[in-house]
Each structure stands twice: as C-alpha cells, then as structure tokens.
Amino acid sequence: MTVSVKQLAKQFRDGTRAVRGIDLDIADGEFLTLLGPSGCGKTTTLRLIAGLEEPTEGSISINKRDVTNIDPGDRNVAMVFQSYALYPHMTALQNMTLGLTVGGMSKAEAAEMARETARLLGIEKLLERKPAKLSGGERQRVALGRAMVRRPACYLMDEPLSNLDLKRREHMRTELKRLHQQHRVTTIYVTHDQAEALILSDRVAVLNEGTIQQVADPITIYERPANTFVADFIGSPSINFLNGELRDGAAMIAGRRLEEARAPGSGPVTLGVRPEDVILEAPGSAVIDGVIDFTEPYGGVVIAFISPQNADGLLKEREHLAASVDVHQPIEIGARVGVGFRASRVNLFDVATGGSLLSN
Amino acid sequence: MWGMNTKQAINLLAVVVVILWLIPVIWVAINSIKPTNIINAPIPTFYSFTPTVEHYIEIFDRFQFDRAIFNSLVTVGVSTLIVMILALPAAYAVARMGLMRGDTWALVILSLRFMPGVVIVLPYFKMANWLGIHDTQILLIIVYVAFGLPFAVWILRGFLLDLPKEVEEAGRLDGLGWIQIIFRLILPMAAPGIAVTTIFTFVFSWNEYLFALFLTTSKATTMPVALQKTIDIYNVLWGSLSAGAMIQLLPMVIVVFLLQRHIARGLALGAVK
Ligand SMILES: Nc1ncnc2c1ncn2[C@@H]1O[C@H](COP(=O)(O)OP(=O)(O)OP(=O)(O)O)[C@@H](O)[C@H]1O
Ligand SMILES: [Mg+2]
C-alpha cells in the first residue's frame, strides 16, 4: 500500500519547528528509511504519519485515502517503538492479540494468528511470558510480532534495533530484511545508523533540520550525494572535502586537472572524495605529495590519515586526508607518499550552497 | 558500636523507633482489656490482671458503637469509591491530555488541602442546615469527596506521569478508544498507585474528626466522634475509649498487612516524580 506525504510540517507548542515541509511518496511494498542526525525530525515525521501528532500543515494519505484527520487506530498502520512499548501487564500472546480482538476478531482466531506470526519470528515458546521476563531481543521480537500480526497497510519503525547489542542488531537487521523481502509490506523505518539504512532500504530519505536533503536508493545516496550535508553524513570514515577550481568544465586541484571530474561553469568548487577513491602512489608521481601521520585499522582495510605537503588550503574542514588502503598493502607511519584520486568518482559541490554540481 | 556493622545498627535503630511508636498503641490495647477497677490504679500494671471484654461490650451497649462503625464504613467507603472513580479520569486528563498544563494548577489543587478545617466548617454547617441534610451520611460523603478528590488527583497524577506514554500510544494504534485505554492499559499499569491513593483517601476520611463532629449529632455519627463521647465532663472512661480506639485501628492494620507490598512499591514509584 502506498503512503504519500505532502508539505508536511509540525511546529510544537513551544515553537520548535521539528518538521518543515516534507514531501514523500512511498510505493507499495517499498522499504523507505528516514535517516538523519539526532533531532532532525525523524521521530516526529513518523508520529505524524501514525497520527500520534497533529500536523501544523500538510496532508498524509495512505493508499490514496486522505488520513490527515483520522484517528491512529483507523489508519491501519502499525508502529514499532524504540522502547518497544509492550503492554507490561499482558503476556506476549495478549500483547499480540489485543489489536485483533479490539477489532472484533474472536479470541481463538486471534490467538491462532498470533501463534502463526510467533512461529515466523521464533518466539512461539515465549508467548505465555510477560515482557518483564523477556530479554531485550525477545521483547523486540514480540513488539515486531504485535505489529505484524495485524497485517497493517504499513509498518512504522522508530529505531527498533537501537536497544540491542551489536551482534543481535546485525542479526535482527538481516531478519528484518528477510521478512520484508518475503512479505513486501510497505515500511517506513527511522534510524540514525547509516549502515542500517543503506543495508535495509529500497530508498533512503536523508533529513536535516526538518527538511529532506535527498531521497534516493542507497547506492546513489552514497555515490552521488545531493549536497555536502548528505556526502558528509553518509559514509564511515567520512568523505574528504577538498578546495578546487572549475576550469573549462573540469575540476583542478593543486594545479592538476582531473579530466573526468566534470561540471559546467568555472570558479572555486568543493570536491568530495571518498577515502576509497584516494589512491596512494610513489611520491612525486601523483596529484600531490603527503606524509602519513597515523592510521586506523578497520578490519579489511586500514585508513591512512595523510598531511598534504606544499598544498596549503587544499583540505576543507579537516586536517587530514583519509585514504582507505587494503590491509595487506604495506604502509608506514611517517612515510612520504603520492596521492591521486579516482576522478570519475569525485563529487563536485557548489562552494556557496553545498549543492551537487553533477548532472546525474 | 559494640562490634555492629552499619546495617545492624540501622536495624537496631529501626526496632527502637518502632517500639517507641508502638508503646502508646500497646498501652491502649492493654487498657482495652483491663478491668475498670485497676485501669485507674496509681501504679499501672501491664500484665498482672485478668483480661476482660467488658469494655468491648460496653462500647456497643452504651455508646452505640455498632451504628458508628456502620456510619464510618458507609461514609468513608462510599466517599472513597466516588473519589477514586472521579480521580482517575481527572488525573489522566491532567497528566496526559494537556488539561491544566504545568505544575501551577497542581499547586492550586493541592493548596485546597492547606485550608484549615475550622475556617470552613461553620459555613458547611450553615449550608447543611439550609439544605436540611445536617446529621446525614450524605453530608459527610459530600464533604469527604470534596476534600479527598483534589488530593487523590494530585497523587494519581504523579503515578500516571510515571507510566510510559508509548504504551498508551501503542494502544491507540491498536485501535483502543480512550475508555479502553483507561480500563485495559492504565488501570492495570497504575494498580500500585491506585492502591496507595485509595488507602490514603480512605485513611484520611476514616480518621477525620472535626467535620464529623460539627456536621453530625447522633444519626450519622462516625467512630472518631463516637469515641469522644466516652469522655464526659466528669470522667474519662478509659476502658471504653481504648476498646473503641482498637476497633478504629483494626481496618488500618488489616489494609496495611494485605497491601504492604503494593504500598511500598507504590510509594517508591510515586517518589520518582
Ligand atoms: N513534544 C515535543 N515538544 C517540543 N519539541 C519537541 C517535541 N518532540 C520533539 N521535539 C523537538 O523536535 C525536534 C525533532 O525531534 P525528533 O524527536 O523528531 O528528532 P529525531 O530525529 O527523532 O531525533 P533522535 O535521533 O534523537 O531520535 C527536536 O528538536 C526535539 O527537541
Ligand atoms: Mg527519534
């Protein structure tokens, strides 16, 4: 089922403008993630769609039906809360069946549906327990089960994995992805964890200060960020920003022309280069020279942090250029290296607005 | 001190405090079963006497304590019930629906309790006479509801604020209306808080003396007032007074024993907010 949000805005009583005019069209069966830093309005957007907050402006439709002024219970959406919000005085089974029996289903039928969902999630043995007697991961599954058993038009999930430890989070992430691929229920998922967003989503909407910065599939978000905010927010370790110049349709840095980094116009430009697109070569042979100041091992790769030599004002906002190097490639701290760039993958941004200059 | 660790010292202190608190109660309990002729003995004895139930019989025969017990149970029971029925939705509105936002209104509610009773008991007396309900159970019920309600709303509000809001929101998404949310979610979750509030409301009315004294004469007299009638200008009937006091104490003891787990938990919860 589709979800469509038009010019949605929310200003709280205290004047906080949490959401400032958001447009989103979510296709049937799509997994869309709202991603952004803390306080950017992700939860508020989700609560607006759920009907738990009233919008100051804008409209929400679910399956082409305008639900802007409809009670949360009549929107046919199910939410998974960060805190799980299980009914503490009810067993896992009762937690899952309440929404069904309220809707008029018989107890036996509801229990049957709950059991079926529980089997899917591997919690059929826990159904008689109350939330206090469940582990964090088990509660998470019950919360998920409570949402799933109702067969809603759409799932709304607010950082559902953030209270789990890393291993379990990865496990549940895979599980979520599997469930979504099996059932293809439209899902709006909130997280501030970019890895989670990139792994799970069909499309990612990056939010900042209550506005959408970019909506695109994970690969585009990563490779062709719409502006410097998205470029900076996505990717770990962070993207490098370099000061360069546009001349005759291509970018120049340190007097060298990157023929494949092309954009119209001329004048100063910001280059965005991911660490894996920085290439280490012999000194003197590449675009610039630098010295490896320190390294950070990331498992399969090592990040080398390089001080550029004889290239004042090259780096923007940072002191080092990060380069991702295969863990087997020998590098030495203090060594002098040549630094090149995979020009075809370099992003170019407007210096003033931060917007991308690449025409996709 | 004497080779005790801190915990033992605290326990010892607690025992001492409890004994100090209990001495008057024990004294009253013993008096209630002492024969009249030795109650007033210049040197009191605590054990060398033959126990008697004469005071318990006397308090019913001479002071109509059966009626006082009945009146107390009815006025306090009914008023507590009404208070709790009204307080829960009211407290919910204050805590969750944005009614009387902030703490100012909570203070207004609470400050109703600051009013000294003697200041308003005379107007109540006059009004009761105009309405022709002086010395009726209805009158005391009205008064106890009026006094108990603000206080109950105030305590319950604290408990409700402690409940996670998301659970109610999950209920809304599950299609529960607000009445169902109150009965199926809030009521069970707030049970310890409701127990504590009920007990407080009950106890305050149960022990209430001033209004009962002014607003009743005989028909609707409650236990605290009936007890007072064992004291006349010539002498104090210590035996009857003590027996009545023990009966007055009984429900409190029962309630506390039955619900002590809830009370402790409820008080701990309430203390957080
Ligand atoms: N009920 C409220 N009243 C006033 N301001 C609020 C309220 N709820 C949220 N806000 C504010 O709105 C902004 C957006 O909040 P929101 O909870 O949507 O952020 P978020 O993106 O979910 O952040 P996080 O990642 O920390 O959960 C924040 O500045 C927050 O302080
Ligand atoms: Mg949030």
PDB file of all heavy atoms in Angstrom, chain A residues 14 108 126 132 157 166 181 195 225 228 249 296 316 321 326-327 331 348:
ATOM      1  N   ASP A  14       5.898  24.839  21.893  1.00  0.00           N
ATOM      2  CA  ASP A  14       6.981  25.700  22.368  1.00  0.00           C
ATOM      3  C   ASP A  14       7.699  26.406  21.221  1.00  0.00           C
ATOM      4  O   ASP A  14       8.687  27.102  21.439  1.00  0.00           O
ATOM      5  CB  ASP A  14       7.977  24.883  23.204  1.00  0.00           C
ATOM      6  CG  ASP A  14       8.709  23.834  22.376  1.00  0.00           C
ATOM      7  OD1 ASP A  14       8.418  23.718  21.171  1.00  0.00           O
ATOM      8  OD2 ASP A  14       9.572  23.134  22.930  1.00  0.00           O
ATOM      9  N   ALA A 108     -10.058 -16.951  19.913  1.00  0.00           N
ATOM     10  CA  ALA A 108      -9.393 -18.144  19.390  1.00  0.00           C
ATOM     11  C   ALA A 108      -8.709 -17.852  18.059  1.00  0.00           C
ATOM     12  O   ALA A 108      -7.559 -18.236  17.827  1.00  0.00           O
ATOM     13  CB  ALA A 108     -10.422 -19.261  19.222  1.00  0.00           C
ATOM     14  N   LEU A 126       7.671 -18.275  23.885  1.00  0.00           N
ATOM     15  CA  LEU A 126       7.674 -17.179  24.865  1.00  0.00           C
ATOM     16  C   LEU A 126       6.297 -16.578  25.051  1.00  0.00           C
ATOM     17  O   LEU A 126       6.128 -15.624  25.801  1.00  0.00           O
ATOM     18  CB  LEU A 126       8.622 -16.069  24.391  1.00  0.00           C
ATOM     19  CG  LEU A 126      10.030 -16.509  24.012  1.00  0.00           C
ATOM     20  CD1 LEU A 126      10.800 -15.340  23.413  1.00  0.00           C
ATOM     21  CD2 LEU A 126      10.757 -17.036  25.231  1.00  0.00           C
ATOM     22  N   ALA A 132       8.368  -8.317  31.288  1.00  0.00           N
ATOM     23  CA  ALA A 132       9.437  -8.215  32.283  1.00  0.00           C
ATOM     24  C   ALA A 132      10.307  -9.471  32.298  1.00  0.00           C
ATOM     25  O   ALA A 132      11.465  -9.422  32.706  1.00  0.00           O
ATOM     26  CB  ALA A 132       8.837  -7.975  33.668  1.00  0.00           C
ATOM     27  N   MET A 157       8.567   2.066  11.893  1.00  0.00           N
ATOM     28  CA  MET A 157       9.518   1.567  12.884  1.00  0.00           C
ATOM     29  C   MET A 157      10.471   2.678  13.296  1.00  0.00           C
ATOM     30  O   MET A 157      11.161   3.258  12.465  1.00  0.00           O
ATOM     31  CB  MET A 157      10.322   0.404  12.305  1.00  0.00           C
ATOM     32  CG  MET A 157       9.446  -0.708  11.772  1.00  0.00           C
ATOM     33  SD  MET A 157      10.407  -2.198  11.541  1.00  0.00           S
ATOM     34  CE  MET A 157       9.159  -3.264  10.835  1.00  0.00           C
ATOM     35  N   LEU A 166      25.392  -5.136  19.509  1.00  0.00           N
ATOM     36  CA  LEU A 166      25.804  -5.104  18.108  1.00  0.00           C
ATOM     37  C   LEU A 166      25.484  -6.401  17.373  1.00  0.00           C
ATOM     38  O   LEU A 166      24.912  -6.396  16.293  1.00  0.00           O
ATOM     39  CB  LEU A 166      27.305  -4.811  18.033  1.00  0.00           C
ATOM     40  CG  LEU A 166      27.822  -4.548  16.618  1.00  0.00           C
ATOM     41  CD1 LEU A 166      27.177  -3.295  16.058  1.00  0.00           C
ATOM     42  CD2 LEU A 166      29.332  -4.422  16.621  1.00  0.00           C
ATOM     43  N   GLN A 181      11.502  -8.890   2.471  1.00  0.00           N
ATOM     44  CA  GLN A 181      11.544  -9.441   1.119  1.00  0.00           C
ATOM     45  C   GLN A 181      10.506 -10.539   0.918  1.00  0.00           C
ATOM     46  O   GLN A 181       9.995 -10.726  -0.177  1.00  0.00           O
ATOM     47  CB  GLN A 181      12.957  -9.928   0.798  1.00  0.00           C
ATOM     48  CG  GLN A 181      13.820  -8.733   0.426  1.00  0.00           C
ATOM     49  CD  GLN A 181      15.286  -9.046   0.285  1.00  0.00           C
ATOM     50  OE1 GLN A 181      15.730 -10.125   0.646  1.00  0.00           O
ATOM     51  NE2 GLN A 181      16.033  -8.092  -0.238  1.00  0.00           N
ATOM     52  N   ALA A 195      24.602   2.706   8.298  1.00  0.00           N
ATOM     53  CA  ALA A 195      24.833   1.360   7.784  1.00  0.00           C
ATOM     54  C   ALA A 195      23.509   0.616   7.713  1.00  0.00           C
ATOM     55  O   ALA A 195      23.174  -0.024   6.704  1.00  0.00           O
ATOM     56  CB  ALA A 195      25.811   0.620   8.686  1.00  0.00           C
ATOM     57  N   PRO A 225      25.805  11.980  -3.660  1.00  0.00           N
ATOM     58  CA  PRO A 225      25.037  12.749  -2.668  1.00  0.00           C
ATOM     59  C   PRO A 225      24.590  14.087  -3.247  1.00  0.00           C
ATOM     60  O   PRO A 225      25.317  14.699  -4.031  1.00  0.00           O
ATOM     61  CB  PRO A 225      26.029  12.940  -1.518  1.00  0.00           C
ATOM     62  CG  PRO A 225      27.379  12.684  -2.105  1.00  0.00           C
ATOM     63  CD  PRO A 225      27.184  11.738  -3.238  1.00  0.00           C
ATOM     64  N   THR A 228      26.573  18.650   0.252  1.00  0.00           N
ATOM     65  CA  THR A 228      27.682  18.331   1.156  1.00  0.00           C
ATOM     66  C   THR A 228      27.175  17.733   2.469  1.00  0.00           C
ATOM     67  O   THR A 228      27.865  16.928   3.091  1.00  0.00           O
ATOM     68  CB  THR A 228      28.522  19.584   1.464  1.00  0.00           C
ATOM     69  OG1 THR A 228      27.640  20.648   1.778  1.00  0.00           O
ATOM     70  CG2 THR A 228      29.389  19.969   0.286  1.00  0.00           C
ATOM     71  N   GLY A 249      35.169  23.239 -17.637  1.00  0.00           N
ATOM     72  CA  GLY A 249      34.320  22.056 -17.484  1.00  0.00           C
ATOM     73  C   GLY A 249      34.931  20.916 -16.718  1.00  0.00           C
ATOM     74  O   GLY A 249      34.339  19.847 -16.617  1.00  0.00           O
ATOM     75  N   GLU A 296      44.297   4.051  11.060  1.00  0.00           N
ATOM     76  CA  GLU A 296      43.262   3.393  11.868  1.00  0.00           C
ATOM     77  C   GLU A 296      42.858   2.106  11.163  1.00  0.00           C
ATOM     78  O   GLU A 296      42.371   2.153  10.036  1.00  0.00           O
ATOM     79  CB  GLU A 296      42.027   4.288  12.005  1.00  0.00           C
ATOM     80  CG  GLU A 296      42.191   5.413  13.006  1.00  0.00           C
ATOM     81  CD  GLU A 296      40.961   6.321  13.058  1.00  0.00           C
ATOM     82  OE1 GLU A 296      39.985   6.051  12.323  1.00  0.00           O
ATOM     83  OE2 GLU A 296      40.995   7.284  13.832  1.00  0.00           O
ATOM     84  N   LYS A 316      39.422  20.982   3.188  1.00  0.00           N
ATOM     85  CA  LYS A 316      38.331  21.804   3.689  1.00  0.00           C
ATOM     86  C   LYS A 316      37.806  21.164   4.975  1.00  0.00           C
ATOM     87  O   LYS A 316      37.522  19.962   5.001  1.00  0.00           O
ATOM     88  CB  LYS A 316      37.239  21.832   2.623  1.00  0.00           C
ATOM     89  CG  LYS A 316      36.222  22.909   2.825  1.00  0.00           C
ATOM     90  CD  LYS A 316      35.357  23.033   1.593  1.00  0.00           C
ATOM     91  CE  LYS A 316      34.231  23.990   1.921  1.00  0.00           C
ATOM     92  NZ  LYS A 316      33.761  24.699   0.752  1.00  0.00           N
ATOM     93  N   LEU A 321      43.810  14.088   5.126  1.00  0.00           N
ATOM     94  CA  LEU A 321      43.136  13.444   4.023  1.00  0.00           C
ATOM     95  C   LEU A 321      43.071  11.961   4.365  1.00  0.00           C
ATOM     96  O   LEU A 321      44.089  11.340   4.658  1.00  0.00           O
ATOM     97  CB  LEU A 321      43.965  13.668   2.756  1.00  0.00           C
ATOM     98  CG  LEU A 321      43.372  13.231   1.435  1.00  0.00           C
ATOM     99  CD1 LEU A 321      42.227  14.163   1.039  1.00  0.00           C
ATOM    100  CD2 LEU A 321      44.454  13.273   0.352  1.00  0.00           C
ATOM    101  N   ASP A 326      44.134  -1.207   1.390  1.00  0.00           N
ATOM    102  CA  ASP A 326      43.992  -2.625   1.705  1.00  0.00           C
ATOM    103  C   ASP A 326      44.945  -2.996   2.834  1.00  0.00           C
ATOM    104  O   ASP A 326      46.081  -2.515   2.899  1.00  0.00           O
ATOM    105  CB  ASP A 326      44.316  -3.470   0.468  1.00  0.00           C
ATOM    106  CG  ASP A 326      43.979  -4.927   0.694  1.00  0.00           C
ATOM    107  OD1 ASP A 326      44.765  -5.639   1.359  1.00  0.00           O
ATOM    108  OD2 ASP A 326      42.902  -5.360   0.229  1.00  0.00           O
ATOM    109  N   VAL A 327      44.460  -3.852   3.731  1.00  0.00           N
ATOM    110  CA  VAL A 327      45.239  -4.148   4.936  1.00  0.00           C
ATOM    111  C   VAL A 327      46.573  -4.814   4.585  1.00  0.00           C
ATOM    112  O   VAL A 327      47.538  -4.741   5.333  1.00  0.00           O
ATOM    113  CB  VAL A 327      44.401  -5.009   5.908  1.00  0.00           C
ATOM    114  CG1 VAL A 327      44.232  -6.430   5.378  1.00  0.00           C
ATOM    115  CG2 VAL A 327      44.990  -5.022   7.298  1.00  0.00           C
ATOM    116  N   ILE A 331      52.107   0.031   4.447  1.00  0.00           N
ATOM    117  CA  ILE A 331      52.237   1.480   4.612  1.00  0.00           C
ATOM    118  C   ILE A 331      52.920   1.728   5.931  1.00  0.00           C
ATOM    119  O   ILE A 331      52.805   0.939   6.871  1.00  0.00           O
ATOM    120  CB  ILE A 331      50.877   2.225   4.570  1.00  0.00           C
ATOM    121  CG1 ILE A 331      49.869   1.534   5.498  1.00  0.00           C
ATOM    122  CG2 ILE A 331      50.355   2.336   3.162  1.00  0.00           C
ATOM    123  CD1 ILE A 331      48.625   2.349   5.692  1.00  0.00           C
ATOM    124  N   LEU A 348      31.354  16.891  -7.116  1.00  0.00           N
ATOM    125  CA  LEU A 348      31.639  18.325  -7.136  1.00  0.00           C
ATOM    126  C   LEU A 348      30.454  19.080  -6.546  1.00  0.00           C
ATOM    127  O   LEU A 348      29.301  18.821  -6.896  1.00  0.00           O
ATOM    128  CB  LEU A 348      31.880  18.782  -8.574  1.00  0.00           C
ATOM    129  CG  LEU A 348      33.067  18.106  -9.279  1.00  0.00           C
ATOM    130  CD1 LEU A 348      33.140  18.556 -10.730  1.00  0.00           C
ATOM    131  CD2 LEU A 348      34.374  18.407  -8.547  1.00  0.00           C
TER     132      LEU A 348
END
